[in-house]
Structures are given as C-alpha cells and as structure tokens.
C-alpha cells in the first residue's frame, strides 16, 4: 500500500447493485460482509451504508452475517433483531487481546476488547447468535495462557455459538511485514529482532506455545459445547433457516 490505511474509497453504487442482485435472487440465503475489511468503519456513522444494506436484506427476506471489531453494530440493533426474528442473523466479533492497553496498540482506531465483549453480551440478551474470531494471535505479545483462557471464558459467558481459530499465530506478507516490524519498534522495542531470529521471512508465523494453547482452546470449548472446528462454524454461518410449514387446522 502506498497510502494510509485510513484513506479509503467508497463504492457509491454498492446499494444499487445489491438491490438489483436481491431482486433477481429467487432462493433466500445468508448475506455476509467483513471478511476483507470491517464494515463498521467510523465513516459508517455518517454514510449508514450497512444500515441501508440491512433494510434491503430485510425487505427481500434474506439473512445477514458480518465480521467486525466495532460497537457501531449496536446502532443497527433494532433492524438486526427484526431480521433475526424473520430469518437469521449471526454477528461475528474478533477478539485477540484481553488487555485493553495492548489491544489499543495492536488494533488502533477500534473499540477495545472490553467494549466488544459488552456488545456480545448485548446481542446475547437480544437472542442474536454470535461467533468469535480468535485470530491473529501475536507471538510474544498475545500468546499467553492467561490471555487465551480469558478470551474463551468471556466467550462462554456471552454464550457464543462458536470460536474460529486456525492455530495460535499469524501471517506476514512482504510489505505487510515491514509495516509490522515498524510498529513493533514503536510499541514493543526489541521484539523485532526476536521475530527476525525466530521466524525470518516465513509467511506463517506460529507461536512457540501453539501446541499447549490449542489443547487449552479445544478442551475449554469442547467442555462448554462451543463449536471449534472452522468447517462446522462456516457451515452454520451459511445455513439459511427453512420456514416451518404451518399445520392445517381441522374441525375436530
């Protein structure tokens, strides 16, 4: 990237394109967003593109799911509740660090983890299903047993349906790696050298604690009947509920 992360472009005819697509689609389905960029960016408060998207989704009878790190989703709680009553909504929330101070360093410009957990609790009260993304996990920063266990405990308390985890680690691409190292120097002096010595130029960066942390993850999620296999969770996210057939009333 040759520009700031905050410098974005908005697809101004996105709503028009979505409306045309929904008008043509006969089979009802789950519509998702957020896999490439958070849909609830700060500008959403002004644009309200997601809210207008939700209005279209409800009008045409589809379901909705998204991945976010923002509490702005609560601004649309009224319409999310209506869609969930008519069909299905699943809110996916990324949780990576229970320490809000560290969280603000590695995930700037979004609400801290404690606030995201409050969002999950609010959605629980409204009977809206939730899924947590436990990734990425940064070696030597967030890969402690205390951090992982605390995230899982908070997820259990919020009654999440599943926790997606592809292992305790992260990925680093060329270009992305240089930016990450720059931020390590800024917030965690000396850690860049540890990364270079431990991982060199690898794309997949696996925590040295991966084995024991994954055992902890599987043990706690299995014990509390929380889905922990990505394929199982993705199947749940894609499944659109079938309408129940009303029983024919009889005279006798």
């Amino acid at each position: 990237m040759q520009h700031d992360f905050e410098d974005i472009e908005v697809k101004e005819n996105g709503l028009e394109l979505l409306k045309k697509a929904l008008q043509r689609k006969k089979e009802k389905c789950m519509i998702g967003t957020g896999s490439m960029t958070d849909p609830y960016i700060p500008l959403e408060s002004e644009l309200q593109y997601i809210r207008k998207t939700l209005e279209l989704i409800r009008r045409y009878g589809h379901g909705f799911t998204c991945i976010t790190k923002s509490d702005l989703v609560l601004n649309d709680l009224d319409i999310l509740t209506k869609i969930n009553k008519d069909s299905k909504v699943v809110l996916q929330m990324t949780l990576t660090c229970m320490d809000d101070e560290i969280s603000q360093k590695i995930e700037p410009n979004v609400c801290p983890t404690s606030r995201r957990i409050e969002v999950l609790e609010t959605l629980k009260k409204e009977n809206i299903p939730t899924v947590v993304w436990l990734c990425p996990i940064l070696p030597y920063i967030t890969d402690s047993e205390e951090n992982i266990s605390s995230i899982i405990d908070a997820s259990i308390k919020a009654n999440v349906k599943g926790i997606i985890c592809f292992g305790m680690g992260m990925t680093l691409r060329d270009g992305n790696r240089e930016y990450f190292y720059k931020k390590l120097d800024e917030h965690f002096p000396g850690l860049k050298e540890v990364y270079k010595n431990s991982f060199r130029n690898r794309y997949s960066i696996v925590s040295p604690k991966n084995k024991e942390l994954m055992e902890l993850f599987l043990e706690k999620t299995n014990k509390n009947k929380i889905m922990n296999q990505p394929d199982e969770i993705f199947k749940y996210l894609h499944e659109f509920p079938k309408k129940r057939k009303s029983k024919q009333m009889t005279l006798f």
Side-chain angles (χ1 to χ4, degrees), residues 83-251:
I83 294 173
N84 191 52
K85 183 177 179 182
D86 295 338
S87 56
K88 178 181 175 182
V89 166
V90 185
L91 196 287
Q92 304 171 61
M93 184 69 75
T94 300
L95 302 179
T96 63
C97 181
M98 289 295 286
D99 186 318
D100 281 350
E101 186 176 344
I102 296 177
S103 175
Q104 291 294 77
K105 291 179 181 179
I106 63 178
E107 299 174 313
N109 304 321
V110 294
C111 62
T113 300
S114 58
R115 176 57 177 157
R116 293 181 229 171
I117 293 171
E118 289 177 359
V119 172
L120 292 174
E121 293 284 358
T122 299
L123 295 168
K124 170 188 173 183
K125 293 176 183 177
E126 297 295 331
N127 296 315
I128 294 178
T130 54
V131 164
V132 161
W133 284 75
L134 184 60
C135 59
I137 299 300
L138 311 187
Y140 309 110
I141 300 177
T142 60
D143 62 341
S144 69
E145 181 177 329
E146 179 185 4
N147 181 54
I148 300 303
S149 185
S150 296
I151 292 174
I152 297 172
D153 288 344
S155 300
I156 293 169
K157 186 172 179 290
N159 197 32
V160 304
K161 289 283 187 179
I163 303 178
I164 297 174
C165 179
F166 297 102
M168 301 296 166
M170 58 184 295
T171 59
L172 283 177
R173 297 179 175 85
D174 291 340
N176 164 256
R177 183 182 293 106
E178 286 75 11
Y179 178 84
F180 180 70
Y181 283 169
K182 176 183 176 183
K183 290 300 179 180
L184 284 184
D185 282 339
E186 183 180 334
H187 298 294
F188 306 96
L191 195 53
K192 178 178 71 176
E193 285 67 31
V194 176
Y195 266 73
K196 285 184 174 181
N197 292 332
S198 299
F199 309 116
R200 301 189 184 278
N201 291 324
R202 296 176 196 163
Y203 171 71
S204 295
I205 309 298
V206 181
S207 166
K209 300 178 182 178
N210 178 65
K211 184 176 182 296
E212 53 263 45
L213 291 179
M214 284 305 296
E215 287 175 352
L216 171 68
F217 167 71
L218 293 172
E219 178 185 353
K220 297 196 79 162
T221 50
N222 284 332
K223 181 180 178 180
N224 291 277
K225 295 181 172 56
I226 294 175
M227 291 186 288
N228 55 30
Q229 298 301 310
D231 288 347
E232 179 186 17
I233 300 172
F234 291 146
K235 181 181 178 183
Y236 167 72
L237 291 171
H238 282 87
E239 286 177 342
F240 186 81
K242 295 180 179 179
K243 289 185 177 181
R244 295 179 180 177
K245 294 181 179 180
S246 58
K247 294 182 179 180
Q248 181 67 38
M249 295 182 66
T250 57
L251 187 59

